[in-house]
Amino acid sequence: MSQYESQINSRYDDPETYSGKNPPDWEARRKTVYRRDDWTCQNCGRQSGPHAGDDGERLHAHHIQAYANGGSNHLSNLETLCEPCHQNSHEHNIFQDGWVGDGPTVYRIGAVRASLRGILAALFMSIWIALFGRLILYEGGTSFGSLVNEAGLIGIPTLLVLVILLPKPRVVTSLLGLGTTGITAVAWQEFGASPELLAMALMVWPPVLIGL
């Protein structure tokens, strides 16, 4: 195992375990990839690094499968590309809008994006969803009960939603978005542009917007 390989933490294979564009051990990962690929661009074959000295092209470690498509930072998903080939592999300018960026922040609670803002957002979403569920029960004929009963009817669903939401915020927000869009479409068909539609939108869209 090389000097750089020993500095790689497998935990950061998963891009959900840190913030920022690259994992905290990115320097070790990219140098390991360059060494493995013999400082050779895997697209055009141009060699750099020790083969070319100061005259060589700058090398980049490229994600074969992008994050957006489920890709990870595992070495098997990284390849060496020279700078021109790396730019050509993307449809956008890879050097604009914070290509370097700030240093990453490690999340300490597994894969949960555990910033205080994220936890508060998840809590607000969970409470809002539980309240909406309670309203549905009321419309279905479940009348309001004692304070203790109401605390259970709202508090228990809130905790359940929170437990599901924290580990998978993107998945839950996406599902909420689809459901909310469906509810809005049904309300549009039923009421058209009306106060009823506005009231429904105010009830179902806030958790989605908070999640986003």
Side-chain angles (χ1 to χ4, degrees), residues 2 15 27-28 37 59 93 115 119 122 131 138 155 159-160 176 203:
S2 70
E27 190 73 4
D37 293 339
L59 298 177
N93 181 3
S115 66
I119 291 176
L131 288 173
Y138 177 76
L159 291 176
L160 290 175
L176 280 176
M203 284 189 288

Side-chain angles (χ1 to χ4, degrees), residues 7 17 64 69 72 83 92 108-109 112 120 126 150 210:
Q7 298 173 15
T17 58
I64 300 170
N69 297 325
S72 72
E83 193 164 275
H92 62 278
R108 299 298 180 189
I109 309 179
V112 176
L120 288 176
S126 301
E150 290 304 312
I210 293 171

Side-chain angles (χ1 to χ4, degrees), residues 178-208:
L178 292 174
T180 298
T181 301
I183 292 173
T184 304
V186 170
W188 175 269
Q189 291 291 327
E190 184 74 20
F191 304 110
S194 65
E196 289 84 357
L197 176 66
L198 177 61
M200 181 62 71
L202 289 175
M203 284 189 288
V204 299
W205 278 104
V208 178

